[in-house]
Amino acid sequence: MTEATPDRIRRVVVAGGGTAGWVAATTLAKHLSPMIEVMLVESDEIGTVGVGESTIPTVRTFHSFIGIDEDAFVRATNASFKLGIGFEDWDRPGDRYFHSFGSVGRSVFVADFQHFWLEARHRGFGRPYGDYSLELRAAAENRFSADPELGLAYAYHLDATAYARFLRGIAEADGVKRVEGRIAEVSQYPESGDIRALVLASGERVEGDFFIDCTGFRALLIEQTLKAGFDDWSHWLATDSAFAVQTESAGEAVPYTRAIAHDAGWRWQIPLQHRVGNGFVFCSQDMDNDTARETLLAALDSEPLFEPRLLRFTAGMRRRAWHRNCLALGLAGGFIEPLESTSIHLVMIAITRFIQSFPFTRDYQALADRFNARSEAEWTHVRDFVILHYALNHRDGPFWQRMAQMTLPDTLAARLELFREQAMAHQDQDEIFRIDSWCQVMMGQGLMPDGWHLLPSQLPDANLRQALDGLDAGIKARLPKLPTLAQFLARYADPVPAAAVR
């Protein structure tokens, strides 16, 4: 008699470590133990990609979800704090704008803040749009505080390797079993095609009822074994290569990520407490490896800590993130370049949603279909937001001109036309980027609306000025209450032990 996949799912095997693997294992153990047993298989021989060192504010909500103490996390990962992303040279060389995490201005029920700002601009007064963001003004003065009463929206810069190690400690304390070894074969049930076990190079078999694929670009389970399919987005997101390297800190850390455009892509700077993460993203059609490496090294502010590592990738997503008894997370599920720091978020929201829809029995096709539909919507929203940075540019050169002339996804083209016509922006379900984010990037990239809501036009100059001046005054009053980032980080120089979990 042929053995069939068990009806009850009790054993979950995470294939691969790194950030994705240990986020998954930690979350599953924290919320579903003792209903399930969690094992994680990883090989000490296989390194991690190492570009996921920047996050967005949703990471704080997720940390609360799994009970992580912020001070313990910051100490363990040498993390610093982030108020947004500074974009340099993206629309044209010399241009700069800031995508901040907080709210910009103040909206009313009938009309969002950008309509009031555009009316004031039309009348010839008011500060730049982003100046009505506390986060932007704090970042400009290199100030930061995590005090909730001061109201900053923030995320983290972190050491990805240390983060995985930190999560591993929590996961193992919660009962996750780690199995060291390289996966040599994926065993399937002959009738259903579901995954039965991971066979290691040592010959050991790790059997499970459900599997989480965190094997990176190899996608060993979801694609090499189950053939879930892949939607290629490289015709919209043409960069396909990156060099990554760490350097010594050359000065005080700043509370934001830098994204600096160059002839064939962009480069990043991610300052941590103890070092800086640097990367150089480029399109191999427009720049060869040697030129990219030399350009990166010439742009570094201090000595590299190792030889730059070259990464190759294709932008896109798995057609079915959840296929049969397997869920793909992280790079196994797809890749959208790290321009807006969404990689870790996409792992965290996926594992959270999976726990909410956990398949305790084999009757889960409707759950998988719903999960995949929501995952596709979320990835598409992120894709469109990243494409936006490339599509709206006025730079010279073959790469940038191709990007400006590309045929956009219908979903993004509709958004841009809506904003161009009437300054309308929106945040859909399962979308992480707020109206403020869309407005900051669209206008930062040079798209100024032709029209806007008429409500602000009914305000006399004095009233509109008073409203904007009041917002400005409120920010000015709060800024002196914020210490510099260096002053705030000084508290973590004291090696006082802190509990990892509340």
Side-chain angles (χ1 to χ4, degrees):
M1 180 177 178
T2 304
E3 289 191 66
T5 310
D7 289 334
R8 173 75 164 84
I9 294 177
R10 294 182 173 86
R11 298 170 299 174
V12 177
V13 178
V14 181
T19 298
W22 286 110
V23 162
T26 302
T27 312
L28 287 165
K30 184 68 66 176
H31 288 284
L32 296 184
S33 178
M35 292 179 287
I36 63 170
E37 173 189 353
V38 182
M39 291 174 284
L40 184 143
V41 178
E42 68 175 341
S43 172
D44 293 334
E45 301 173 9
I46 300 174
T48 58
V49 171
V51 298
E53 297 196 318
S54 191
T55 61
I56 59 177
T58 53
V59 67
R60 295 168 54 208
T61 304
F62 182 81
H63 280 181
S64 178
F65 177 58
I66 60 175
I68 286 179
D69 174 78
E70 182 173 79
D71 282 355
F73 154 75
V74 171
R75 291 178 187 276
T77 64
N78 286 299
S80 187
F81 298 88
K82 171 183 174 183
L83 297 172
I85 305 171
F87 289 93
E88 304 173 32
D89 305 330
W90 275 81
D91 184 27
R92 292 180 173 87
D95 282 355
R96 296 188 176 199
Y97 68 92
F98 196 80
H99 173 198
S100 64
F101 289 143
S103 299
V104 181
R106 187 176 302 150
S107 298
V108 299
F109 178 74
V110 176
D112 293 316
F113 175 72
Q114 72 268 19
H115 299 279
F116 294 89
W117 180 82
L118 287 163
E119 178 65 26
R121 177 176 176 269
H122 175 68
R123 298 185 195 183
F125 59 84
R127 297 178 65 102
Y129 176 77
D131 280 8
Y132 297 98
S133 159
L134 173 63
E135 286 74 14
L136 179 148
R137 301 272 285 276
E141 296 186 13
N142 208 11
R143 294 179 179 273
F144 178 80
S145 174
D147 185 342
E149 293 187 4
L150 297 175
L152 284 173
Y154 65 90
Y156 310 107
H157 294 143
L158 56 86
D159 182 323
T161 301
Y163 186 48
R165 186 166 56 245
F166 173 72
L167 291 173
R168 174 183 169 181
I170 298 172
E172 290 185 321
D174 285 337
V176 173
K177 179 184 177 183
R178 178 185 183 270
V179 179
E180 203 287 322
R182 180 175 57 83
I183 301 170
E185 179 187 345
V186 179
S187 172
Q188 295 173 267
Y189 289 98
E191 291 187 357
S192 68
D194 284 356
I195 298 173
R196 179 175 182 175
L198 306 180
V199 183
L200 307 187
S202 64
E204 180 181 358
R205 291 173 59 89
V206 181
E207 297 192 347
D209 305 321
F210 200 95
F211 294 80
I212 311 289
D213 189 346
C214 298
T215 61
F217 288 128
R218 294 179 300 154
L220 184 59
L221 282 64
I222 196 70
E223 192 58 49
Q224 290 190 39
T225 302
L226 297 181
K227 314 296 183 188
F230 184 79
D231 286 330
D232 187 330
W233 293 340
S234 58
H235 51 295
W236 291 312
L237 296 169
T239 57
D240 58 5
S241 307
F243 277 103
V245 68
Q246 298 165 6
T247 59
E248 299 174 349
S249 297
E252 290 187 358
V254 296
Y256 55 91
T257 303
R258 293 180 67 193
I260 307 155
H262 61 74
D263 289 345
W266 62 283
R267 64 183 177 92
W268 74 75
Q269 284 188 345
I270 300 174
L272 280 68
Q273 293 181 49
H274 63 308
R275 62 166 174 79
V276 178
N278 302 268
F280 193 89
V281 180
F282 64 102
C283 176
S284 61
Q285 178 181 336
D286 299 277
M287 184 177 288
D288 61 61
N289 293 347
D290 290 342
T291 301
R293 177 184 173 280
E294 291 168 6
T295 306
L296 169 62
L297 291 174
L300 298 178
D301 294 331
S302 59
E303 290 299 311
L305 299 177
F306 51 77
E307 176 66 20
R309 293 191 296 257
L310 177 63
L311 314 170
R312 296 290 193 192
F313 52 83
T314 300
M317 68 169 291
R318 210 60 58 192
R319 287 180 187 151
R320 286 165 292 184
W322 179 348
H323 183 43
R324 298 188 183 275
N325 63 335
C326 179
L327 172 68
L329 291 181
L331 301 177
F335 185 75
I336 301 173
E337 62 170 81
L339 183 61
E340 284 286 352
S341 310
T342 52
S343 298
I344 293 176
H345 164 81
L346 289 170
V347 172
M348 291 175 170
I349 192 63
I351 196 63
T352 301
R353 188 174 295 136
F354 180 68
I355 285 174
Q356 293 169 341
S357 306
F358 191 82
F360 290 102
T361 67
R362 285 286 301 154
D363 186 18
Y364 57 65
Q365 190 57 53
L367 283 175
D369 290 345
R370 175 60 176 160
F371 180 97
N372 287 334
R374 295 187 68 183
S375 179
E376 180 182 4
E378 188 162 55
W379 276 71
T380 299
H381 287 138
V382 173
R383 177 203 69 189
D384 285 0
F385 193 68
V386 174
I387 293 172
L388 165 65
H389 299 68
Y390 290 102
L392 296 180
N393 87 84
H394 299 88
R395 291 179 59 103
D396 294 327
F399 171 78
W400 291 99
Q401 290 179 358
R402 285 202 315 277
M403 296 300 95
Q405 295 164 8
M406 78 170 98
T407 300
L408 299 177
D410 291 342
T411 46
L412 177 57
R415 279 184 185 268
L416 297 184
E417 191 58 27
L418 182 62
F419 191 75
R420 190 190 320 274
E421 285 183 357
Q422 294 294 335
M424 297 294 293
H426 56 91
Q427 181 179 11
D428 293 337
Q429 183 186 16
D430 297 325
E431 182 175 357
I432 57 174
F433 294 111
R434 302 165 297 109
I435 289 172
D436 310 71
S437 297
W438 282 96
C439 289
Q440 287 177 88
V441 176
M442 286 190 288
M443 289 193 287
Q445 294 285 153
L447 178 60
M448 299 305 297
D450 296 327
W452 49 88
H453 202 288
L454 284 179
L455 177 65
S457 70
Q458 305 305 302
L459 293 174
D461 278 7
N463 295 59
L464 187 53
R465 283 182 184 271
Q466 183 179 22
L468 295 181
D469 288 347
L471 292 170
D472 181 40
I475 292 174
K476 285 180 178 176
R478 292 162 75 184
L479 283 173
K481 300 176 182 178
L482 301 172
T484 66
L485 178 61
Q487 290 170 337
F488 188 83
L489 288 175
R491 70 179 63 189
Y492 298 104
D494 180 11
V496 175
V501 185
R502 293 190 185 99

